[in-house]
Amino acid sequence: MSVTYKQSGGVRVISTVDVGDAELAYVESGTGSPVIWLHGSGPGATGMSNFGGNLPAFEDYRNIVIDLPGWGRSPRPATNEPLIFHAAERVCRAMTALGIERAHLVGNSYGGAVAMRIAMTHPDRTDRVVLMAPGGVLPADAPPWPVGLEHLFNYMASEKPSRDEMARFVRLMVYDEALATDALIDERYESSLRAHPELPIPPNFGDLTPDLGLISAPTLLVWGREDQTVPLTWATRILQGIPNAELRVLPHCRHWVQYERAPEFNAIVREFLRGGAAAAAREE
């Protein structure tokens, strides 16, 4: 099945792929080495709401932009499995169904946790990994939760969340609140109502901390310095736990790095996917 819709820059097609117990929705664009894009767990999140604005900079890659189970157009079958573990396995099944043996993984927040889980359990299928303020690794003193996570959980627990609640959530995701446009708030709100609640409360995410050392892939962490959802202070455990990890911090930026600082994000990620600055320079 496929659905077409209009987006700035042209028409996109949402397709679905059978992953055994459900179907995952995805958008595909570009040609080249595969990149799997994995979105966060916020209300109204979809693959394209997180990454649609970045894709034009990556058209020389085969981009697979997924709606993770429970969000967008991807239903979540009943499961007692931790959500990160469940989603990671379905993404791997989707890769197999789409003929992708190995791919770069780019994940934001919850999607970053899913990317880490794939890199831990399927290193042979993982090329390079880009994580934007990923979840799945909590400090010992949490909860209490950062204000962004608190708003996210409250929204999901609400029987009928309001547009005003969505607006407050979106404004917490960006440092420059001018980027929290009415159009963006409306898009996220309408998407959230179609799938609400996307996240069961309390959520059983699963803990990735014990297995960070299993990630052998080169890994880039990208963080907004003013992130109020997954704070920069949470990066230390991940940076120290993944053997081949590096960290880039962007100032005047919160949780949605790929949206708020899109030009810098695109350049940093493209350089990393090409093997880093030295390798990228040799190709020019």
Side-chain angles (χ1 to χ4, degrees):
M1 183 186 76
S2 63
V3 177
T4 59
Y5 72 99
K6 291 183 179 180
Q7 184 198 37
S8 58
V11 175
R12 297 291 187 183
V13 177
I14 302 174
S15 303
T16 57
V17 57
D18 187 348
V19 294
D21 54 0
E23 291 191 335
L24 283 190
Y26 70 97
V27 169
E28 180 169 350
S29 73
T31 57
S33 299
V35 181
I36 310 296
W37 300 79
L38 304 168
H39 64 77
S41 63
T46 67
M48 290 302 290
S49 73
N50 271 206
F51 303 116
N54 305 104
L55 290 187
F58 292 87
E59 286 302 303
D60 51 340
Y61 290 89
R62 181 188 178 189
N63 300 291
I64 306 295
V65 187
I66 289 176
D67 287 356
L68 291 167
W71 281 268
R73 297 178 183 268
S74 295
R76 181 191 297 122
T79 180
N80 293 321
E81 190 178 12
L83 297 178
I84 293 167
F85 298 9
H86 178 273
E89 183 56 35
R90 272 73 196 163
V91 172
C92 286
R93 293 179 189 178
M95 289 172 61
T96 299
L98 295 171
I100 298 172
E101 295 183 3
R102 185 179 178 92
H104 301 299
L105 306 175
V106 180
N108 164 233
S109 199
Y110 173 70
V114 174
M116 285 194 287
R117 176 67 179 177
I118 295 170
M120 292 169 178
T121 56
H122 298 278
D124 57 320
R125 308 200 68 177
T126 305
D127 199 342
R128 288 176 164 256
V129 180
V130 180
L131 308 170
M132 295 85 80
V137 179
L138 296 177
D141 60 352
W145 303 114
V147 62
L149 279 182
E150 184 179 0
H151 275 67
L152 188 160
F153 293 154
N154 288 343
Y155 189 101
M156 295 295 182
S158 175
E159 183 176 347
K160 188 176 181 182
S162 68
R163 184 187 181 280
D164 285 345
E165 289 175 285
M166 176 62 78
R168 286 193 291 272
F169 172 78
V170 171
R171 292 186 185 113
L172 282 169
M173 297 298 107
V174 291
Y175 182 84
D176 179 1
E177 292 190 5
L179 295 172
T181 63
D182 286 341
L184 174 61
I185 292 166
D186 288 340
E187 176 190 343
R188 294 283 299 224
Y189 184 57
E190 291 165 10
S191 177
S192 78
L193 294 182
R194 288 194 292 268
H196 186 76
E198 296 125 310
L199 190 66
I201 300 297
N204 175 20
F205 284 120
D207 183 12
L208 301 178
T209 309
D211 295 324
L212 287 172
L214 298 179
I215 300 177
S216 57
T219 301
L220 173 65
L221 304 173
V222 185
W223 231 283
R225 188 180 65 189
E226 286 78 22
D227 195 323
Q228 294 183 310
T229 304
V230 181
L232 178 58
T233 54
W234 291 16
T236 303
R237 181 173 287 188
I238 302 172
L239 185 63
Q240 293 177 344
I242 298 176
N244 193 13
E246 58 185 280
L247 171 66
R248 293 288 295 269
V249 179
L250 299 184
H252 311 301
C253 182
R254 289 185 181 167
H255 195 53
W256 287 350
V257 179
Q258 74 281 358
Y259 170 65
E260 187 162 21
R261 299 289 293 274
E264 296 99 321
F265 171 84
N266 294 341
I268 290 167
V269 173
R270 283 189 58 84
E271 178 184 277
F272 179 74
L273 295 186
R274 292 163 66 187
R282 284 195 296 269
E283 292 180 11
E284 294 176 351

